[in-house]
Amino acid sequence: MITDVPGVLVGHHERVGDGWATGTTVVLVPAGAVGAVDQRGGAPGTRETNLLEPENLVQHVNAICLSGGSAYGLAAADGVMRWLAERNLGIPVGTQPHEVVPIVPAAVLFDLPRGDWGNRPDASFGYAACEAAAGGPVPLGTVGAGAGAKAGSLKGGIGTASERVGEFTVGVVAAVNAAGEAVDLSTGRAFAADHEVDGEFGVRWPDRPGDVETKAAGLNTTIGVVAVDAALSKAEARRLAVAAQDGLARAVRPAHTMFDGDTVFALATGDRELPGGAGPVAAARRAMVLDTLCSAAARVFGRAMVHGVLSATSAGDMRAYRDVWPEALA
């Protein structure tokens, strides 16, 4: 899970039922982390992403906020900022401990039609997700930002995965809400199934068509975070986010459409140094190690998206994978 990366905590808050199907997921890094972002697709909803560009001043972030509610859901980040400010976590801008500005980039997915109009995350969702944040196992499926998520014709949700790359750990959490399909509806096999590690999905791919109504794509967006315990610059962290988007493209078809605002954040906690030194040989060695981390980011993001679909449970009229192919998860 993404929490296999030391110092990374995840919390969810959601409401499902009684006219609600939405929520917020927060990735907390209390000690701070170098942040970056890669955004693709034609319908993004984001906050504080310009500051993550390598040429800009701010280097470290305190949290990433992923939320449902379309642009309204960006308000959840206000609650994350309040939670961090109460703990004096942020960029110091004064002489007193409480004089800080928490840095909380955010992205939202479109789930407005899946609940009653007006039922969407606000600042209380972000604050509650922070209160729930912890290391260890991350709840999956119809939770947090995945509560109202939809992946093509099936219910989407929150997924997570990780991989060891030498001495480093790469982890991902993703809210799968894609316009494209994440599963071959003629066989029930996830498109990113080939990246499975040691039978982690626990599925016997059914190899039969699913009884599911194929619906026209609406406004969607898959959002997520890739984290690593390496010490990276902002530019290097962005390469990690760019590579993770490749994993997204492997997991859904089509990806990065005009109706998605696919956004991936990267966090580098800095616990472990990449090979250093001066000269072209040292630079090449560092680039090679970074390349292995990027390759892992793509694989792990794809795996996380499979977990998000397989772990989802139905909400409203959205049928989950486990409802369409129940024998696969038996």
Side-chain angles (χ1 to χ4, degrees):
M1 298 188 172
I2 191 173
T3 49
D4 293 335
V5 179
V8 175
L9 312 177
V10 175
H12 304 301
H13 182 71
E14 71 283 331
R15 290 190 64 178
V16 178
D18 297 325
W20 287 84
T22 193
T24 299
T25 295
V26 172
V27 180
L28 283 177
V29 277
V34 170
V37 67
D38 184 69
Q39 189 281 312
R40 305 187 190 184
T46 57
R47 165 173 165 163
E48 296 278 42
T49 51
N50 281 358
L51 65 80
L52 297 178
E53 294 176 0
E55 68 270 22
N56 288 336
L57 174 66
V58 172
Q59 298 295 310
H60 295 84
V61 304
N62 304 105
I64 302 292
C65 180
L66 309 175
S67 187
S70 189
Y72 295 106
L74 291 171
D78 291 339
V80 181
M81 289 191 68
R82 180 164 64 88
W83 190 91
L84 290 164
E86 289 174 357
R87 290 154 181 81
N88 300 335
L89 296 174
I91 293 179
V93 293
T95 59
Q96 300 301 313
H98 68 277
E99 294 176 340
V100 298
V101 177
I103 303 301
V104 185
V108 292
L109 56 81
F110 187 85
D111 58 5
L112 294 179
R114 292 146 208 173
D116 292 345
W117 188 259
N119 288 348
R120 55 227 182 196
D122 57 17
S124 69
F125 277 63
Y127 193 96
C130 290
E131 288 283 273
V138 177
L140 305 180
T142 307
V143 296
K150 185 171 177 286
S153 303
L154 299 170
K155 179 72 179 68
I158 291 289
T160 188
S162 70
E163 180 179 326
R164 288 282 294 175
V165 184
E167 62 181 314
F168 302 101
T169 300
V170 177
V172 165
V173 65
V176 186
N177 187 63
E181 300 288 353
V183 172
D184 184 339
L185 300 182
S186 66
T187 66
R189 182 179 174 84
F191 289 127
D194 290 345
H195 295 301
E196 184 176 19
V197 176
D198 297 330
E200 65 180 304
F201 299 143
V203 175
R204 292 172 294 178
W205 303 111
D207 196 25
R208 70 167 177 84
D211 180 19
V212 59
E213 180 184 356
T214 304
K215 299 181 180 179
L219 297 173
N220 290 79
T221 295
T222 294
I223 51 181
V225 178
V226 54
V228 66
D229 52 358
L232 303 180
S233 67
K234 287 172 73 176
E236 290 169 332
R238 186 173 185 277
R239 293 303 306 174
L240 203 70
V242 167
Q245 291 272 19
D246 293 340
L248 191 161
R250 297 172 190 174
V252 294
R253 303 179 185 176
H256 307 143
T257 73
M258 287 297 293
F259 304 99
D260 293 289
D262 301 331
T263 301
V264 176
F265 296 96
L267 296 173
T269 64
D271 289 347
R272 299 179 182 277
E273 293 290 339
L274 265 64
V281 174
R285 187 184 307 118
R286 183 179 181 91
M288 289 175 64
V289 175
L290 176 62
D291 193 57
T292 63
L293 297 177
C294 289
S295 295
R299 293 190 295 269
V300 177
F301 206 97
R303 290 169 49 214
M305 291 185 67
V306 175
H307 283 298
V309 173
L310 296 180
S311 301
T313 53
S314 60
D317 64 351
M318 293 182 289
R319 298 184 70 197
Y321 184 96
R322 62 187 60 243
D323 300 319
V324 179
W325 291 282
E327 74 277 16
L329 296 168

